[in-house]
Amino acid sequence: MSVLITGGVSKISVKLAEELLKNGRNVVLLHNNSSESIPDALLSNSSFSLINLSSVNEDGVKEVIETKKIQTVFDGSLTTSDVSLEPIQGAKKLILGITSVLDAIRKSKSPPSLVLISGEEVYGSSVNRVETQPLEPVTFVGSAQMSVEAMVHSYAVSYRIPIVVGRLPRVIVSSKNELESELKNLKDLEYVNIMETSDAVRGLLSIEKLAQTQKPAEVFNIANSQEFRVANFSESRNSTLSISKILSETAWKPSDLSTLPSKSQENSKEIKPVFLLFGGDSELKTQFFELVKLERFVVKESSIYNFQEAKSFEGDCFTLRTNMATNLYFPWLLASLSEKNSLHFTHFGNTAISQETSSFSVKGYTGKMLEYFENTLRLGTKIDKNTLGLIKGRKTGGLLNNNI
């Protein structure tokens, strides 16, 4: 039985993958261009696949569902750092992402069920946090969660996709060190619901089979039965986040936080970016290869070779056509594909229009055209120590001198 985890890498999606593998299931995790770390034991498991694929790539997600024979999709986008983005950026990633996942599911030959991982911030400042409570988010995070839940519910009703929603607490930790760090950042709260990561994952697995078309996008709170005082962790009270529904319909129960280990013992490996390089042979290309290899990143050269590179782009109308195809149309096509698939694209060329040569003139206009692509970084025609940092950081905009 195969499972797909969409939305990117987070401590929840990683722990979920580990638990699913323990249960004898095959797991595919889409890491969405993330630079987060993955435990070595997970990467070395033959039943685990890590794919660099954005959730907004509907065709790609659909292909994974069909080729890997996925039976359940867990969407963890609301557990990643994307949930904290500004509203416009967040909407593009989260809403477009979940919509693409839902469309990929419904268009698949054998549509899988979906478990959406959401959070308690959807309740806002409401004291009575029951699943049937009207949602009144007061933060960007809560609004993002509510928006994604609304989209999921509409698909569940319209297309009869079996979906279930699990709402987790704001604070989820794996160790005492992590707990102490979280508490330092919560001075604005008096009490907070805190849950151990493995408890949260067990809760999500317990509601997986409750995804039914008869009860579209049914919601379950998955939380600790107690809330803890931020100023004094030893003090607690009954949780305002009701878990009576999940306790009555599943065998899941939260565990005691006293069993938390002092610190995480897992050895993890950072996900390194893979670079796909286009363009004809040049000194700049050679320098980039050398820079990337020094950092031990994976770099692959495109199999597209017919760039019609010329020593000089000065000449007649046919030479101008070659100039336009090589220096304008092709970079624009790459930027368009990168934008569609949520990939980062770097273009080395002119960031200002120059009449010095025909080539510089066309490249200057290319730079102006690429300004409209949000995932594109436009750099000058040189490689320096800052270049790799800009690309790894997914910086965008135009920088003539490659300064960060």
Side-chain angles (χ1 to χ4, degrees):
M1 187 174 183
S2 299
V3 175
L4 172 64
I5 303 175
T6 59
V9 176
S10 68
K11 60 184 175 185
I12 291 294
S13 61
V14 167
K15 190 64 178 180
L16 178 60
E18 291 175 336
E19 289 299 318
L20 287 164
L21 291 169
K22 287 178 184 178
N23 294 340
R25 300 165 79 173
N26 297 316
V27 178
V28 180
L29 173 60
L30 306 186
H31 75 72
N32 202 17
N33 302 304
S34 170
S35 60
E36 300 289 337
S37 297
I38 297 282
D40 290 338
L42 193 58
L43 291 170
S44 61
N45 194 310
S46 60
S47 298
F48 176 75
S49 301
L50 183 66
I51 301 177
N52 182 7
L53 180 67
S54 171
S55 295
V56 303
N57 189 339
E58 179 190 325
D59 293 337
V61 175
K62 180 176 177 287
E63 183 179 350
V64 171
I65 289 174
E66 293 182 342
T67 57
K68 299 289 186 178
K69 298 180 180 179
I70 301 298
Q71 293 171 301
T72 302
V73 176
F74 285 83
D75 185 81
S77 57
L78 294 174
T79 69
T80 68
S81 57
D82 287 347
V83 77
S84 300
L85 293 172
E86 291 296 318
I88 294 178
Q89 274 188 305
K92 287 183 177 179
K93 282 201 169 185
L94 297 172
I95 299 299
L96 289 180
I98 194 62
T99 303
S100 298
V101 169
L102 289 164
D103 280 331
I105 289 174
R106 73 178 180 86
K107 294 177 183 178
S108 298
K109 295 176 182 177
S110 298
S113 59
L114 171 69
V115 180
L116 174 67
I117 310 172
S118 188
E120 68 168 324
E121 287 94 331
V122 292
Y123 293 113
S125 55
S126 176
V127 177
N128 186 27
R129 301 185 172 196
V130 183
E131 290 87 346
T132 54
Q133 175 76 15
L135 304 181
E136 300 176 351
V138 295
T139 63
F140 287 157
V141 173
S143 298
Q145 292 171 346
M146 185 178 73
S147 300
V148 171
E149 283 192 27
M151 184 63 71
V152 164
H153 188 270
S154 67
Y155 270 74
V157 172
S158 301
Y159 300 106
R160 313 308 295 174
I161 300 174
I163 297 174
V164 67
V165 179
R167 290 177 182 159
L168 303 179
R170 176 176 175 177
V171 180
I172 298 176
V173 296
S174 301
S175 66
K176 292 179 180 177
N177 285 353
E178 192 177 344
L179 174 58
E180 291 174 4
S181 177
E182 288 282 357
L183 290 176
K184 290 178 182 178
N185 298 323
L186 296 171
K187 300 300 183 183
D188 56 324
L189 298 177
E190 184 179 4
Y191 282 89
V192 65
N193 194 303
I194 302 171
M195 174 171 265
E196 206 272 327
T197 310
S198 60
D199 270 0
V201 168
R202 286 192 303 104
L204 292 169
L205 293 176
S206 72
I207 65 172
E208 178 189 354
K209 294 182 179 179
L210 300 180
Q212 303 172 10
T213 55
Q214 297 87 349
K215 298 180 179 180
E218 190 169 15
V219 179
F220 289 86
N221 289 336
I222 304 171
N224 203 313
S225 58
Q226 297 290 306
E227 291 179 344
F228 302 88
R229 184 184 289 275
V230 174
N232 185 358
F233 181 71
S234 61
E235 295 183 29
S236 64
R237 69 182 186 188
N238 290 334
S239 176
T240 56
L241 193 60
S242 173
I243 58 172
S244 58
K245 184 176 181 181
I246 190 173
L247 293 178
S248 64
E249 297 192 30
T250 72
W252 176 86
K253 289 182 180 179
S255 60
D256 193 338
L257 286 177
S258 61
T259 59
L260 275 176
S262 297
K263 59 181 180 179
S264 177
Q265 303 296 322
E266 291 182 323
N267 293 320
S268 297
K269 189 177 295 182
E270 181 184 353
I271 303 173
K272 291 190 175 183
V274 176
F275 298 100
L276 180 60
L277 199 58
F278 293 86
D281 294 334
S282 65
E283 183 180 351
L284 185 144
K285 186 176 180 179
T286 301
Q287 291 174 354
F288 186 77
F289 261 117
E290 292 174 352
L291 179 65
V292 171
K293 286 179 180 178
L294 282 174
E295 297 289 336
R296 297 184 178 179
F297 291 132
V298 178
V299 57
K300 298 181 179 180
E301 191 169 2
S302 169
S303 58
I304 302 174
Y305 291 110
N306 58 334
F307 286 99
Q308 297 178 296
E309 287 285 357
K311 292 182 179 179
S312 172
F313 286 104
E314 305 296 333
D316 56 19
C317 60
F318 298 103
T319 306
L320 176 61
R321 184 177 64 180
T322 302
N323 186 3
M324 295 289 286
T326 302
N327 295 318
L328 191 148
Y329 297 141
F330 192 69
W332 182 89
L333 178 62
L334 289 177
S336 299
L337 291 172
S338 298
E339 196 79 12
K340 178 182 177 181
N341 297 306
S342 194
L343 297 173
H344 186 262
F345 174 58
T346 301
H347 178 253
F348 291 95
N350 295 33
T351 53
I353 296 176
S354 169
Q355 302 296 330
E356 185 177 339
T357 66
S358 295
S359 174
F360 282 172
S361 180
V362 172
K363 288 179 180 179
Y365 279 105
T366 302
K368 295 295 291 183
M369 288 178 63
L370 296 183
E371 288 181 8
Y372 299 98
F373 293 97
E374 294 184 1
N375 290 346
T376 294
L377 171 65
R378 296 172 290 114
L379 295 179
T381 53
K382 70 174 185 177
I383 300 288
D384 60 27
K385 62 181 181 180
N386 294 323
T387 302
L388 206 53
L390 289 164
I391 299 173
K392 283 175 59 183
R394 297 173 66 86
K395 302 290 185 180
T396 57
L399 297 165
L400 185 60
N401 58 358
N402 293 11
N403 288 331
I404 294 179

